């Protein structure tokens, strides 16, 4: 392989010239919209474990952002057994709405894997490529598939060429480093299959992973499916950072299945391993973005009307970075991408997203005086009454309204804690330098948030060790956010967003979420839909 000339090297000794990099990389244009096809007959859905139903089954609450649906008699009958199978237009329309709301999850049947290319963007790391290709060839479901390895300007291209040749993978070489987005786009242009499965070189998928993800493309509106990214067990006894990454990796989106929707609990999925419908993603990732290109793609697909699914039952192991210097640099690097994302998608990546009433209530509670605290409780009670009035046919309207309003208040308080210790820590530190009260408040927030996270994550670290690493994590990421904001001369990634009720209770687009009340990063408007 002649690396400098941009040569393709096949796994069986064939070579061909690759002219895909003679000019500048393509700019991702407007993505196509999904086809109008309805869900096919035989498509099954199952109620999500987090969905709550009234005793008569006519009211459903759940999803992210959470929303309330009032169902008609026919819909209630379909859901009597906790799920149903699409058989006609009416059941297909109901299944679509419930899927988009996150109230049900798809349960598609598995089918043989075909029509898929596995694409691996890489720069050096020949040993990791060898491990990944070995795992792919050992998996009966992926061993016969074509594999494209995109060498993105390696310093030792011959090492990668030897590994690719040994495993029968086709190698595409960039003459210089263009970034992971450009490398993935090269694979998209060269792939000839309907689906492309992207795997970073530092992952090891579990057997059967691809079949479980491809099954979700039985929904013609699904453009992307992603597994859960978990930590690869370290070869040596785990150190503190290893154990922290096992529960707090930014690539691990958690155990809750659902649709990927901006400004929700599951607002994006990382591209460490994803499967995409090639006809949906157009030119692919934004080639100018070296950080956050996966978040950008998720948001553009959502804006175009496509559905994205997160499937945590499928697990892919990832080699997390655990040397302190590299780990901090990685976290700061992630933060620098926030400015580009905030400019490309205004209002979609706010550090804080809450209703005005809950922000006002939290501000009053922070005063620490009886009169402001009483006013905050009155605001919460008023919101509870308003929410209860929207669901008079609930089993316990007042109780439901109270619990939802308290959840909204708690979610806003948690977001404020995160802002003070993560995105806005330079401002918080500056305030603490001149105010004893701010100093006590910041110290309390830093310790309380860390201890709460230790409890939620069930970390194997000691509480103080976990809290200390958590604070380093936030300091590095927040520093990156400020670096990116200063570089782009914008305050966009630092600005909060107020959650205001949609006029008439309708969202801008039929596939966008229609929220009820927040738990975290979710608005506090009460919208009731009838089906």
């Amino acid at each position: 392989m002649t690396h400098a000339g941009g040569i393709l090297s096949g796994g069986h000794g064939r070579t061909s010239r690759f002219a895909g990099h003679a000019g500048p990389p393509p700019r991702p244009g407007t993505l196509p919209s999904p086809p109008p096809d309805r869900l096919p007959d035989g498509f099954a859905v199952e109620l999500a474990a987090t969905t709550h139903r009234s005793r008569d089954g006519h009211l459903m609450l759940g999803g992210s952002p959470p929303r309330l649906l009032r169902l008609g008699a026919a819909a209630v009958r379909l859901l009597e057994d906790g799920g149903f199978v699409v058989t006609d237009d009416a059941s297909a329309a109901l299944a679509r709405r419930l899927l988009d709301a996150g109230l049900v999850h798809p349960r598609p049947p598995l089918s043989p894997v075909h029509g898929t290319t596995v694409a691996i963007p890489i720069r050096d790391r020949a040993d990791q490529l060898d491990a990944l290709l070995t795992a792919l060839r050992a998996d009966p479901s992926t061993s016969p598939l074509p594999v494209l390895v995109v060498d993105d300007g390696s310093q030792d291209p011959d090492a990668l060429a030897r590994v690719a040749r040994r495993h029968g993978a086709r190698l595409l070489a960039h003459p210089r480093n263009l970034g992971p987005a450009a490398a993935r786009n090269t694979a998209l242009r060269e792939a000839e299959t309907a689906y492309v499965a992207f795997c970073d070189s530092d992952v090891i998928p579990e057997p059967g992973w691809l079949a479980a993800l491809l099954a979700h493309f039985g929904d013609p509106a699904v453009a992307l499916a992603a597994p859960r990214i978990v930590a690869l067990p370290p070869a040596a006894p785990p150190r503190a950072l290893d154990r922290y990454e096992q529960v707090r990796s930014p690539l691990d989106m958690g155990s809750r299945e659902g649709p990927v929707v901006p400004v929700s609990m599951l607002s994006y999925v990382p591209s460490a391993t994803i499967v995409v419908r090639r006809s949906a993603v157009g030119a692919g990732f934004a080639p100018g973005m070296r950080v956050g290109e996966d978040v950008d793609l998720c948001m553009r697909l959502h804006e175009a009307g496509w559905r994205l699914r997160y499937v945590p039952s499928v697990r892919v192991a990832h080699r997390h970075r655990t040397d302190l210097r590299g780990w901090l640099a990685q976290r700061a690097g992630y933060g620098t991408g926030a400015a580009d994302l905030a400019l490309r998608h205004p209002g979609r990546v706010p550090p804080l997203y809450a209703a005005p009433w809950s922000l006002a209530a939290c501000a009053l509670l922070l005063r620490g005086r009886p009169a402001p605290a009483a006013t905050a409780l009155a605001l919460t009670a008023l919101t509870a009454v308003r929410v209860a009035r929207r669901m008079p046919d609930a089993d316990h309207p007042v109780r439901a309204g109270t619990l939802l309003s308290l959840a909204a208040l708690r979610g806003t308080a948690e977001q404020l804690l995160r802002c003070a210790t993560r995105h806005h820590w330079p401002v918080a530190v500056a305030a603490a330098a001149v105010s004893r009260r701010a100093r006590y408040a910041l110290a309390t927030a830093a310790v309380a948030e860390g201890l709460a996270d230790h409890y939620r994550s069930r970390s194997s670290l000691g509480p103080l060790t976990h809290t200390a690493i958590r604070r380093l994590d936030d300091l590095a990421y927040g520093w990156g956010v400020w670096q990116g904001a200063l570089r782009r001369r914008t305050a966009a990634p630092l600005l909060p967003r107020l959650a205001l009720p949609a006029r008439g209770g309708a969202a801008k687009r039929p596939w966008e979420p229609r929220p009820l009340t927040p738990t975290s990063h979710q608005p506090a408007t009460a919208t009731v839909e009838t089906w």
Side-chain angles (χ1 to χ4, degrees), residues 181-194:
R184 295 189 189 102
N185 291 346
T186 293
L188 277 174
R189 287 194 297 268
E190 290 296 306
E192 299 176 352
T193 53

Side-chain angles (χ1 to χ4, degrees), residues 281-354:
V281 298
F285 298 84
M289 298 185 70
R290 289 186 176 251
V291 179
E293 74 283 353
D294 41 11
V295 185
D296 172 73
L297 179 65
C298 289
M299 291 183 176
R300 289 191 290 121
L301 285 169
H302 177 79
E303 286 292 333
W306 290 95
R307 276 66 170 185
L308 297 80
R309 299 295 312 178
Y310 175 60
V311 191
S313 59
V314 181
R315 294 160 63 95
V316 171
H318 178 265
R319 291 181 178 86
H320 294 325
R321 189 174 301 185
T322 55
D323 62 286
L324 182 59
R325 184 172 181 178
W327 182 81
L328 290 172
Q330 182 188 59
R331 290 300 202 271
Y334 288 156
T336 60
D340 278 338
L341 290 169
L343 293 174
R344 286 170 176 263
H345 307 281
R348 293 290 193 177
V349 287
L352 184 146
Y353 186 33

Side-chain angles (χ1 to χ4, degrees), residues 30 43-44 57 72 100 118 128 164 186 222 242 268 274 287 321 362 377-378 402 437 454 502:
T30 302
F43 194 95
D100 288 348
V118 179
Q128 294 185 12
T186 293
V222 166
D242 293 304
Y268 74 97
I274 55 173
R321 189 174 301 185
C362 285
L377 293 177
T402 301
R437 187 171 183 176
H454 176 268

Side-chain angles (χ1 to χ4, degrees), residues 145-163:
L145 297 179
V147 177
L148 293 177
V149 177
V150 184
D151 178 1
D152 189 32
S154 292
Q155 295 181 348
D156 185 5
D158 293 334
L160 286 183
R162 287 191 295 270
V163 172

